[in-house]
Amino acid sequence: MKLAYWMYAGPAHIGTLRVASSFKNVHAIMHAPIGDDYFNVMRSMLERERNYTPVTTSVVDRNVLARGSQEKVVDNITRKDKEENPDLIVLTPTCTSSILQEDLENFVDRAQMDSKGDVMLADVNHYRVNELQAADRTLEQIVEYYIKKARKKGNLPEGKTEKPSVNIIGMSTLGFHNQHDCIELKRLMADLGVEVNEVIPESASVHNLQNLPRAWFNLVPYRELGLMAAKYLEKEFEMPYIDITPMGVVETARCIRKIQQVINAQGANVDYEEFIDNQTRFVSQAAWFSRSIDCQNLTGKKAVVFGDNTHAAAMTKVLAREMGIHVVMAGTYCKYDADWFRKEVSEYCDEVLISEDNGEIADAIARIEPSAIFGTQMERHVGKRLSIPCGVIASPIHIQNFPIGYKPFLGYEGTNQVADLVYNSFTLGMEDHLLEIFGGHDTKEVIHKGMSADSDLNWTKEARAELNKVPGFVRGKVKRNTEKFARERNLSEISIEVMYAAKEAVGA
Amino acid sequence: MTVAQPEGLNFECETGNYHTFCPISCVAWLYQKIEDSFFLVIGTKTCGYFLQNAMGVMIFAEPRYAMAELEEGDISAKLNDYEELKRLSLQIKRDRNPSVIVWIGTCTTEIIKMDLEGLAPKLEAEIGIPIVVARANGLDYAFTQGEDTVLAAMAARCPKKEVEAEKEERNAIQKLLNFGRQKEEVAAADREYVDHPPLVLFGSLPDPVVTQLTLELKKQGIKVSGWLPSKRYTELPVLEEGYYVCGVNPFLSRTATTLMRRRKCKLIGAPFPIGPDGTRAWIEKICSVFGIEPKGLDDRERQIWESVEDYVKLIRGKTVFFMGDNLLEISQARFLIRCGAIVPEIGIPYMDKRYQAAELKLLEETCKEMGAPMPTIIEKPDNYNQLQRIHEMQPDLVITGMAHANPLEARGINTKWSVEFTFAQIHGFTNTRDLLELATRPLRRNSNLKDLGWDKLVKEAAEV
């Protein structure tokens, strides 16, 4: 047992659901008790999704405990197949089904016989993998399933596309700024003259998965999701993959050079150097920003970085290499992939922290006292408590991290966004600091407006205590309205009764 | 056209494929209510992730709850449950020093049959902190029923009279507050009440609402001897055989049963004090049990209705559909029908016809008096079927969970997020405005947007 207040990566089924519900017309059925379907709430709320989340539950209740799921799972699958005609139904195990050890594979086989669509059991174990690993595995599993199916039917297309082309692998629902990154990467590919063959899993159809081998190469922008699928395609079709995250000016250039190398090896003849040079010096503002006086002021400022592998590693490099900021500590919660992270960031920071324990990270931040933090929502709250500004760079995230405006982290526009994020975090911190030195904002006592100042009215002790229970931001209004109410009725003393009578009368 | 139907309420039961919160969510409001408690949820990452996401920012305010996250070794019994729980409970004792630790059992502890009720008394004796066990799991319960399981367990911990002397000593602060007041004054304060057997109310409500309802009964000369739960675990009310108890929320049937069977209390079965009609019926019922003639309730109710007429206007004649997820549905529907709404369907996770008998009767009467059609009450609803019905009947307002709210709005259907009703102050006369404020918000917002002409924001508007 582990005492835990907070967790960075969710349980395995969340990963499977993220991948399944990213595809078009794929339905996931969870084998879970009532209440475990809060994935739908997260998706509907955080992503402001307009469509019903294609996830339902085959409910595990007392009857299931006593007698097993029996026909229930099979019925639920075939029912959903009829209701919505999905191309694929993914039966998703949860922590509960992990312990029940029912033969879900058998249910899938039986349901498949009566279903028009395909049915599959997600191969994830709650106690062995987390959200990110499960997402990676489920994507590979779905890709493999449809490649094998097409091969069996003889539907696998022959050969490559005429022009150089790419599959972008790893864009998914509830991913940090994934939708914006996806647009930015498509733009970048268009600029490079590379056709986008398929983007998976977001908005993809499983029918198109058989076309994956037609691309010249695969691009896996995120370390956490897509690598397994890319490796599978490499093994099956000798498709090269590029796993350099194009985040920051240097890494974007490195990614583009790798693309150049990969497609030239297959007979293209491209030279992107001029494009990189032009983008870097004149289109993206980040290189110029690094050179400007603003950024000079950031030199040697201390920062702490924490997040998933992709974003924490990329951010560490951007801060240290491109802005001259002193990254005291870089950390990740992707413990299962810690070696990669250490290798990526070791030369750019003083210390590396690999941990899933938010208390440990908070302690490290308190000890280091950086000028700014770049982390998850959890670090943002640590920063609030310690009065250190924080830029959010990775999941777990809240609704404000699903902006409506265009805010990619990848590609050249991404470098601009990152520069803004860094700069705003630090200047806000500076401004705060200066205010403190010069005695804060306007230091004069605020004169109460209108009737809320000390008045002739007498609040009883109980009423005063009751007033103090009212949340601070409306307390003034409640006080004013209550006193107004009392004055109109010539009451000189305000008791609890008067207070609530006022609320009833005027909604104070 | 609304035609009153002669027959009574219509009950149905569907497949139970509906969305609701897991009952462990009750820790979020109970740890805030019971200030000296600590809630330990013994479950998996799935439970933890739910709490973290459902409770939003609250998690960052040094919450007095935590997960005892079960690992593979716990599941396969490689680790000793007792030793593990002892280690964590001691850590909590050291860091937080609570007056009670509440263990919340989950689906996993049920399936692996972890004997929490058996372990708790032993550990309690060893570490010297009361440990209360509540099995608030998704196998058996929905959302607010979590509070029911906790309060039912707490009911067993309420002291008997013998220890009242000791209790008074613990309540030294109370005494201090009375200090300086003349003895006669205190006695005079007691004379404001009619002589009646002790009454204890049960159900967790925000403190201001507790004050309001207590005052409301005081106006009738009824003294509330205590609340289950109180602000602190150490202030749990005295319960003796023959005490009267009354519920303030519709989802507390286990607590009611426990109070009757285990503590030999007498349950006052009343409608719940939600809306002015419900509050009045609630007070009247309590008065009638004590043989008191209620005073001034007519005026009180009428004044409240008058003061909220601007809101009621918005509801009158509108169709409201309850998808069902928190068990407040019957009372809310009854109140909205009284406001003049038409409610075709009330979804509800679980319907205890005995505990809610008075509320159901009031609902039926309200329908008759208002000439509204009797709603169909659907226990364990099926959300998919409900969506079909919603798209067919196009109600003016759907009260639903967050999973369906945005998709329905995108299809031009007004929705109100049901969870807000569980956290907002909706009880008593005083909060009628707040209740209506919530219920009418989508109508007011969407009427502001109506003229813009983009109420349907999906491509195939009818698609489910």
Side-chain angles (χ1 to χ4, degrees):
Chain A
M1 269 180 224
K2 198 167 80 182
L3 195 63
Y5 295 88
W6 212 71
M7 59 190 66
Y8 285 96
H13 70 267
I14 297 285
T16 294
L17 298 181
R18 274 178 55 190
V19 167
S21 61
S22 293
F23 279 104
K24 259 191 298 195
N25 214 25
V26 171
H27 200 101
I29 295 186
M30 299 168 67
H31 186 239
I34 278 276
D36 275 1
D37 60 350
Y38 57 87
F39 175 79
N40 299 31
V41 178
M42 288 171 60
R43 190 159 181 269
S44 178
M45 262 187 105
L46 297 177
E47 295 221 297
R48 293 178 205 89
E49 181 56 58
R50 301 171 195 220
N51 285 310
Y52 297 106
T53 302
V55 175
T56 45
T57 312
S58 177
V59 177
V60 175
D61 55 16
R62 280 285 155 190
N63 291 331
V64 171
L65 281 201
R67 303 178 300 129
S69 293
Q70 297 190 337
E71 300 304 312
K72 202 171 183 181
V73 175
V74 177
D75 288 348
N76 279 320
I77 295 174
T78 49
R79 176 186 161 187
K80 200 39 79 180
D81 182 67
K82 285 196 191 71
E83 281 169 356
E84 305 201 8
N85 296 311
D87 296 322
L88 168 68
I89 291 179
V90 180
L91 181 60
T92 308
T94 59
C95 58
T96 308
S97 48
S98 281
I99 331 171
L100 288 176
Q101 297 192 323
E102 285 193 273
D103 191 357
L104 295 179
E105 194 71 62
N106 173 272
F107 295 154
V108 163
D109 290 343
R110 277 167 51 205
Q112 181 67 82
M113 288 191 280
D114 294 323
S115 302
K116 273 202 228 126
D118 299 310
V119 188
M120 168 193 291
L121 173 66
D123 171 33
V124 294
N125 179 326
H126 174 91
Y127 293 95
R128 302 279 164 86
V129 297
N130 69 16
E131 168 188 352
L132 303 171
Q133 294 163 289
D136 204 12
R137 169 64 186 136
T138 303
L139 183 59
E140 181 200 27
Q141 205 189 345
I142 294 176
V143 167
E144 185 179 351
Y145 182 92
Y146 281 97
I147 294 287
K148 281 191 174 154
K149 189 177 172 184
R151 188 176 272 153
K152 209 163 138 196
K153 286 194 174 169
N155 286 347
L156 266 191
E158 291 286 324
K160 300 284 174 190
T161 54
E162 200 180 318
K163 286 188 184 161
S165 63
V166 60
N167 298 319
I168 300 176
I169 301 182
M171 298 297 166
S172 84
T173 187
L174 291 171
F176 184 71
H177 292 242
N178 274 200
Q179 283 177 333
H180 309 292
D181 284 349
C182 188
I183 295 168
E184 186 63 20
L185 288 182
K186 282 184 184 168
R187 276 189 193 168
L188 180 63
M189 293 306 133
D191 287 349
L192 298 175
V194 174
E195 284 174 359
V196 175
N197 186 53
E198 297 289 339
V199 176
I200 61 168
E202 186 59 46
S203 305
S205 160
V206 289
H207 298 309
N208 293 353
L209 292 175
Q210 62 189 34
N211 296 330
L212 286 172
R214 283 177 55 78
W216 290 33
F217 71 100
N218 293 316
L219 177 62
V220 186
Y222 309 120
R223 175 78 191 168
E224 292 77 20
L225 176 52
L227 263 189
M228 286 178 83
K231 283 181 180 158
Y232 169 76
L233 292 169
E234 184 190 43
K235 191 180 82 189
E236 291 292 312
F237 304 101
E238 291 169 1
M239 291 178 78
Y241 68 85
I242 296 173
D243 60 352
I244 300 164
T245 305
M247 183 170 152
V249 179
V250 178
E251 290 297 289
T252 303
R254 198 158 76 88
C255 181
I256 295 172
R257 289 195 180 103
K258 185 74 184 177
I259 293 173
Q260 173 179 318
Q261 184 199 330
V262 163
I263 60 176
N264 282 349
Q266 296 177 62
N269 183 18
V270 293
D271 181 356
Y272 293 139
E273 285 306 327
E274 198 183 324
F275 172 78
I276 294 172
D277 181 64
N278 189 50
Q279 286 286 328
T280 305
R281 292 199 297 145
F282 304 110
V283 180
S284 159
Q285 299 294 318
W288 158 235
F289 171 74
S290 306
R291 203 52 215 225
S292 70
I293 304 301
D294 290 340
C295 196
Q296 204 180 74
N297 284 339
L298 301 183
T299 308
K301 287 249 173 310
K302 286 199 289 185
V304 165
V305 180
F306 193 84
D308 60 7
N309 268 356
T310 303
H311 293 93
M315 199 65 194
T316 304
K317 291 183 212 167
V318 169
L319 291 172
R321 190 163 57 185
E322 296 175 21
M323 296 179 176
I325 288 161
H326 178 194
V327 181
V328 183
M329 186 188 87
T332 179
Y333 54 82
C334 299
K335 264 174 125 165
Y336 64 96
D337 197 16
D339 293 342
W340 179 87
F341 186 77
R342 261 196 208 94
K343 188 168 91 345
E344 289 291 306
V345 302
S346 288
E347 58 179 303
Y348 300 106
C349 62
D350 303 349
E351 45 183 304
V352 175
L353 177 65
I354 313 283
S355 175
E356 291 174 321
D357 176 359
N358 67 289
E360 192 180 349
I361 294 135
D363 287 347
I365 293 172
R367 167 174 56 81
I368 292 166
E369 287 189 51
S371 310
I373 311 166
F374 298 93
T376 70
Q377 277 292 337
M378 189 71 213
E379 283 66 48
R380 190 173 75 84
H381 284 269
V382 172
K384 254 184 175 171
R385 208 181 299 167
L386 300 171
S387 299
I388 301 171
C390 178
V392 174
I393 58 151
S395 298
I397 40 186
H398 282 171
I399 196 155
Q400 70 261 41
N401 303 113
F402 288 88
I404 300 168
Y406 185 54
K407 290 203 162 56
F409 271 64
L410 304 186
Y412 285 109
E413 177 55 27
T415 62
N416 294 339
Q417 297 293 337
V418 170
D420 274 346
L421 181 77
V422 171
Y423 183 65
N424 289 341
S425 303
F426 277 108
T427 42
L428 286 180
M430 274 302 280
E431 190 177 83
D432 230 41
H433 195 60
L434 288 175
L435 281 170
E436 209 163 275
I437 291 171
F438 294 115
H441 284 278
D442 195 353
T443 49
K444 268 188 229 163
E445 274 289 319
V446 180
I447 295 161
H448 289 283
K449 271 184 242 146
M451 306 186 187
S452 71
D454 284 333
S455 63
D456 47 327
L457 290 166
N458 183 22
W459 285 69
T460 66
K461 200 156 71 184
E462 290 82 12
R464 198 169 287 280
E466 199 68 13
L467 181 67
N468 282 330
K469 287 183 199 158
V470 175
F473 58 98
V474 285
R475 197 177 298 145
K477 183 183 155 218
V478 171
K479 186 163 184 265
R480 272 198 300 280
N481 285 345
T482 308
E483 293 186 349
K484 187 165 160 237
F485 174 87
R487 257 193 214 98
E488 282 166 2
R489 281 157 189 76
N490 286 326
L491 301 168
S492 62
E493 189 178 75
I494 296 177
S495 63
I496 299 186
E497 283 90 344
V498 174
M499 216 178 134
Y500 287 123
K503 180 173 156 72
E504 285 158 20
V506 291
Chain B
M1 205 32 209
T2 63
V3 182
Q5 291 162 337
E7 70 269 25
L9 294 165
N10 183 16
F11 292 92
E12 279 177 30
C13 187
E14 279 191 314
T15 62
N17 259 315
Y18 64 100
H19 165 77
T20 183
F21 273 0
C22 175
I24 59 172
S25 50
C26 68
V27 305
W29 65 86
L30 287 176
Y31 92 74
Q32 299 196 43
K33 174 71 194 179
I34 308 168
E35 290 170 0
D36 53 353
S37 63
F38 191 98
F39 284 79
L40 184 67
V41 182
I42 304 162
T44 62
K45 243 183 167 20
T46 306
C47 314
Y49 204 58
F50 163 70
L51 280 177
Q52 170 175 324
N53 283 293
M55 298 317 129
V57 287
M58 271 196 263
I59 195 107
F60 302 107
E62 291 252 344
R64 288 187 319 281
Y65 71 82
M67 291 291 309
E69 196 183 315
L70 300 168
E71 291 164 303
E72 206 162 9
D74 298 302
I75 304 300
S76 56
K78 280 201 188 102
L79 299 166
N80 181 309
D81 296 338
Y82 184 80
E83 290 304 322
E84 291 296 298
L85 284 168
K86 182 176 154 189
R87 185 169 56 82
L88 301 192
S89 299
L90 280 173
Q91 191 180 335
I92 292 164
K93 182 183 176 183
R94 195 183 59 227
D95 296 347
R96 306 295 183 94
N97 193 28
S99 307
V100 62
I101 299 179
V102 183
W103 285 354
I104 302 287
T106 62
C107 303
T108 310
T109 56
E110 287 297 312
I111 297 170
I112 64 174
K113 299 195 164 44
M114 194 184 279
D115 181 21
L116 297 177
E117 274 99 343
L119 297 174
K122 267 192 263 172
L123 192 57
E124 179 171 321
E126 198 175 335
I127 68 172
I129 294 182
I131 296 173
V132 171
V133 179
R135 293 152 72 156
N137 61 71
L139 294 168
D140 301 308
Y141 305 109
F143 196 13
T144 48
Q145 286 181 291
E147 174 180 322
D148 194 22
T149 62
V150 174
L151 296 190
M154 291 255 173
R157 301 301 184 111
C158 289
K160 291 200 162 195
K161 228 185 213 138
E162 293 97 83
V163 294
E164 209 169 6
E166 183 202 331
K167 201 177 157 211
E168 256 172 39
E169 238 159 68
R170 280 186 294 171
N171 278 346
I173 299 173
Q174 276 278 310
K175 267 194 168 169
L176 272 180
L177 286 175
N178 278 343
F179 185 79
R181 265 209 227 172
Q182 299 295 325
K183 252 204 178 132
E184 301 87 76
E185 245 181 88
V186 177
D190 267 348
R191 277 199 296 277
E192 291 173 23
Y193 298 108
V194 178
D195 189 30
H196 63 82
L199 170 69
V200 172
L201 301 179
F202 58 96
S204 164
L205 291 177
D207 293 333
V209 184
V210 168
T211 313
Q212 289 158 13
L213 289 181
T214 307
L215 282 173
E216 215 64 70
L217 289 174
K218 189 180 167 190
K219 282 183 192 157
Q220 306 299 335
I222 295 170
K223 183 177 182 177
V224 178
S225 307
W227 279 78
L228 172 69
S230 318
K231 266 170 84 81
R232 303 179 65 82
Y233 176 78
T234 49
E235 292 163 10
L236 279 179
V238 172
L239 284 178
E240 282 287 325
E241 187 168 343
Y243 276 27
Y244 280 82
V245 290
C246 187
V248 295
N249 265 322
F251 44 77
L252 298 171
S253 46
R254 279 177 71 90
T255 310
T257 311
T258 309
L259 290 169
M260 284 191 291
R261 298 212 182 129
R262 307 288 288 272
R263 305 305 305 255
K264 311 283 181 223
C265 296
K266 292 178 186 156
L267 177 71
I268 302 176
F272 301 100
I274 292 169
D277 49 339
T279 308
R280 179 193 175 157
W282 183 72
I283 296 170
E284 279 178 345
K285 185 62 194 280
I286 296 173
C287 286
S288 80
V289 168
F290 293 141
I292 296 167
E293 184 67 36
K295 301 182 291 263
L297 282 181
D298 251 348
D299 281 348
R300 186 113 174 83
E301 191 192 350
R302 190 175 39 74
Q303 276 164 9
I304 296 288
W305 282 119
E306 276 167 16
S307 73
V308 292
E309 173 59 22
D310 48 339
Y311 282 106
V312 173
K313 239 177 8 207
L314 300 170
I315 298 273
R316 208 166 281 142
K318 298 283 196 303
T319 320
V320 185
F321 189 109
F322 286 84
M323 286 188 78
D325 72 346
N326 60 11
L327 284 94
L328 294 171
E329 292 88 2
I330 303 287
S331 312
Q332 276 182 4
R334 177 260 303 148
F335 166 64
L336 291 182
I337 291 170
R338 176 61 69 189
C339 290
I342 294 150
V343 179
E345 174 164 337
I346 309 175
I348 186 167
Y350 169 71
M351 182 72 246
D352 185 334
K353 287 188 195 165
R354 274 171 53 191
Y355 177 61
Q356 294 223 42
E359 183 63 85
L360 286 168
K361 191 158 155 274
L362 183 59
L363 170 65
E364 217 175 315
E365 286 166 10
T366 304
C367 286
K368 283 186 188 142
E369 280 170 34
M370 299 300 292
M374 293 282 172
T376 303
I377 295 171
I378 299 201
E379 198 177 355
K380 290 170 173 275
D382 184 294
N383 280 169
Y384 182 83
N385 295 344
Q386 285 184 315
L387 290 175
Q388 307 293 328
R389 294 196 286 271
I390 288 169
H391 286 300
E392 202 174 304
M393 69 174 75
Q394 296 282 316
D396 297 300
L397 179 65
V398 175
I399 298 187
T400 177
M402 200 63 218
H404 295 110
N406 268 338
L408 281 168
E409 288 282 351
R411 284 159 182 77
I413 292 174
N414 303 324
T415 61
K416 181 75 225 138
W417 186 31
S418 53
V419 174
E420 281 190 74
F421 291 105
T422 43
F423 293 122
Q425 305 187 357
I426 60 168
H427 291 74
F429 288 120
T430 315
N431 293 307
T432 307
R433 180 172 285 271
D434 295 28
L435 180 55
L436 280 164
E437 164 77 27
L438 277 184
T440 59
R441 193 174 295 160
L443 302 174
R444 285 178 285 128
R445 196 270 308 264
N446 291 351
S447 73
N448 285 343
L449 304 179
K450 203 171 63 191
D451 297 336
L452 297 172
W454 52 60
D455 56 338
K456 290 213 170 66
L457 292 154
V458 280
K459 291 209 172 106
E460 307 98 86
E463 194 200 43
V464 174

